[in-house]
Amino acid sequence: MKTIGIIGGGQLGLMIAEQAHVLGVRAVALDPAPDAPAFRVCDDHLVAAYDDAAALEELCRRSDAVTYEFENVPGDILIPLSEKYNIPQGYRPLYDSQDRLREKSNARDHGLQTPRFAAVDDEASLRAAVRELGLPAVLKTRTLGYDGHGQAVLRSESDIERALPLLTVPCILEEFIPFDSEASIVMVADRERVVSFPVGRNIHRDGILDLSIVPAAADPEVLGRLKTQSERFMRDCGYEGILAIEYFLRGREIYFNEMAPRPHNSGHYTIEGCTTNQFRELVRYLTGEPLQEPQLIAPTVMKNILGQDLEAACAVESEGHADTYVHIYGKTESRPKRKMGHITFVGLSGAEYEARWAARFVR
């Protein structure tokens, strides 16, 4: 029986391990938290920091193939491990996604349209970038930001003043795109092919994903072009394994926003909403099995469950509704805005979700 190693023991690691077991594959995870959610379902685990070189090497020794569910694994440790052990995705997609300036430059250089952007290191370069790009604009830290952290929208001179504390680290200023909607695609690639999951429309609240609605309500030509350019980008960059890309849609224009070389929150709907899912296809890739082309079973809505909605989600679970799948991640501490689970509604449109379910959750 093959074993996959997972760097990171959060909810993504948990769902990778669950799908590994469906395919008869063992899973071992490494995470610094002794109560990491993935540990409940993994066959083995290591409690260690992500920069613990000896522990990461032990994870690799115990595994036939290793992946990561956490994006900020230090490169100076992972690169030599990639040369010694089987980390099929390699380090490149992780490296390209870890710095927003590098990420945007890489997307632009490989043919994707991005918002205009400029590197910002201090107040002088920020003001120069504002003169070049205009306002409104978005100032972001180049590394470590997620779920709306490490960024500020600049609309006026006073916003610039308030954003100066972000400049303690290197930043990037991006043109503000007044988009019509946000969309994302999840792909898995091996050396033979790229399989893509249906494009979803994403709705964020306070910088955190709230809903993914699939299929996305957009011009079919635009969605087809988004799929084609995403698959070409993955191939042109030489990426294998899993990759999610988030976009802004404005009219017929498609703007690259960001990417992640791991399972993605917006792809959780695939577990029940598609004939196969993002986690299972990642495991197939890691174990050298042929990939399967996913098909959407029915229109699907995925609702993120944050700490403030956990009680409501548990109530929905107890009610036993058909085609309603509640996933609670088992985190020991519930906090507002912390991802505690998700609910997938299969056979439901976005409008039907608003009419039947939205009032159950904090708005």
Side-chain angles (χ1 to χ4, degrees):
M1 180 181 292
K2 291 184 177 179
T3 299
I4 59 169
I6 308 165
I7 303 173
Q11 64 265 22
L12 301 179
L14 180 151
M15 289 181 273
I16 293 171
E18 288 176 336
Q19 293 302 314
H21 291 160
V22 170
L23 296 176
V25 175
R26 297 178 73 255
V28 53
L30 178 148
D31 196 278
D35 58 353
F39 290 174
R40 300 197 326 272
V41 297
C42 282
D43 302 279
D44 198 0
H45 68 266
L46 295 94
V47 179
Y50 296 122
D51 60 358
D52 185 329
L56 285 168
E57 182 140 10
E58 178 61 23
L59 176 75
C60 292
R61 278 198 296 266
R62 296 187 191 183
S63 308
D64 295 295
V66 174
T67 190
Y68 31 76
E69 62 111 64
F70 177 75
E71 282 157 286
N72 295 306
V73 183
D76 57 350
I77 293 175
L78 194 58
I79 291 173
L81 288 175
S82 299
E83 297 168 354
K84 188 175 179 182
Y85 296 100
N86 185 26
I87 306 178
Q89 286 184 264
Y91 181 69
R92 190 74 207 184
L94 196 66
Y95 175 80
D96 289 341
S97 69
Q98 284 178 328
D99 180 309
R100 287 192 170 99
L101 180 62
R102 190 162 58 233
E103 179 183 53
K104 286 286 194 307
S105 300
N106 180 63
R108 180 194 58 198
D109 293 347
H110 285 92
L112 299 184
Q113 181 174 223
T114 72
R116 293 180 298 145
F117 59 89
V120 171
D121 297 309
D122 52 27
E123 183 176 355
S125 58
L126 171 60
R127 293 188 180 280
V130 167
R131 287 193 296 272
E132 177 187 350
L133 303 182
L135 293 178
V138 185
L139 182 68
K140 301 178 181 179
T141 58
R142 284 173 54 177
T143 62
L144 298 179
Y146 66 97
D147 288 344
H149 298 286
Q151 59 182 271
V153 178
L154 311 183
R155 301 181 186 276
S156 66
E157 173 67 28
S158 60
D159 290 332
I160 296 173
E161 294 291 337
R162 283 194 290 269
L164 294 179
L166 282 178
L167 299 179
T168 56
V169 295
C171 289
I172 180 174
L173 188 72
E174 298 178 9
E175 172 190 16
F176 182 87
I177 301 295
F179 55 83
D180 301 321
S181 62
E182 296 177 83
S184 62
I185 186 170
V186 177
M187 302 166 287
V188 180
D190 59 17
R191 293 183 181 180
E192 302 299 323
R193 63 193 300 214
V194 181
V195 299
S196 299
F197 290 87
V199 177
R201 179 191 176 199
N202 298 329
I203 298 173
H204 290 79
R205 295 187 189 278
D206 300 324
I208 304 173
L209 182 66
D210 182 42
L211 298 173
S212 287
I213 301 170
V214 189
D219 186 315
E221 187 277 334
V222 172
L223 295 180
R225 186 154 38 91
L226 185 154
K227 176 178 184 289
T228 298
Q229 73 173 33
S230 299
E231 292 178 352
R232 182 178 63 243
F233 171 77
M234 196 171 184
R235 277 290 182 241
D236 288 350
C237 290
Y239 298 155
E240 290 187 10
I242 191 164
L243 185 73
I245 305 180
E246 295 180 87
Y247 292 99
F248 299 131
L249 303 184
R250 182 184 181 191
R252 304 184 68 78
E253 298 295 314
I254 304 169
Y255 292 89
F256 173 95
N257 181 30
E258 61 185 28
M259 70 180 202
R262 53 161 175 78
H264 198 258
N265 197 171
S266 68
H268 292 352
Y269 82 90
T270 63
I271 298 174
E272 290 90 16
C274 290
T275 52
T276 184
N277 61 71
Q278 61 172 344
F279 304 98
R280 193 176 300 177
E281 292 314 301
L282 173 59
V283 174
R284 283 198 171 102
Y285 165 75
L286 292 169
T287 55
E289 296 297 320
L291 301 179
Q292 291 189 3
E293 188 75 41
Q295 301 294 328
L296 187 66
I297 292 172
T300 298
V301 175
M302 189 282 297
K303 163 66 179 172
N304 239 359
I305 299 302
L306 306 183
Q308 62 267 30
D309 286 321
L310 182 58
E311 185 176 345
C314 291
V316 171
E317 184 176 34
S318 70
E319 293 162 7
H321 298 277
D323 298 322
T324 301
Y325 303 90
V326 181
H327 296 254
I328 303 299
Y329 303 148
K331 295 179 180 179
T332 54
E333 181 185 0
S334 176
R335 299 191 303 270
K337 298 190 178 182
R338 188 184 193 196
K339 295 174 183 174
M340 302 302 295
H342 71 270
I343 303 177
T344 304
F345 302 90
V346 179
L348 202 69
S349 69
E352 289 169 332
Y353 168 83
E354 287 297 322
R356 292 175 52 187
W357 292 102
R360 298 283 296 266
F361 306 105
V362 175
R363 301 303 294 261

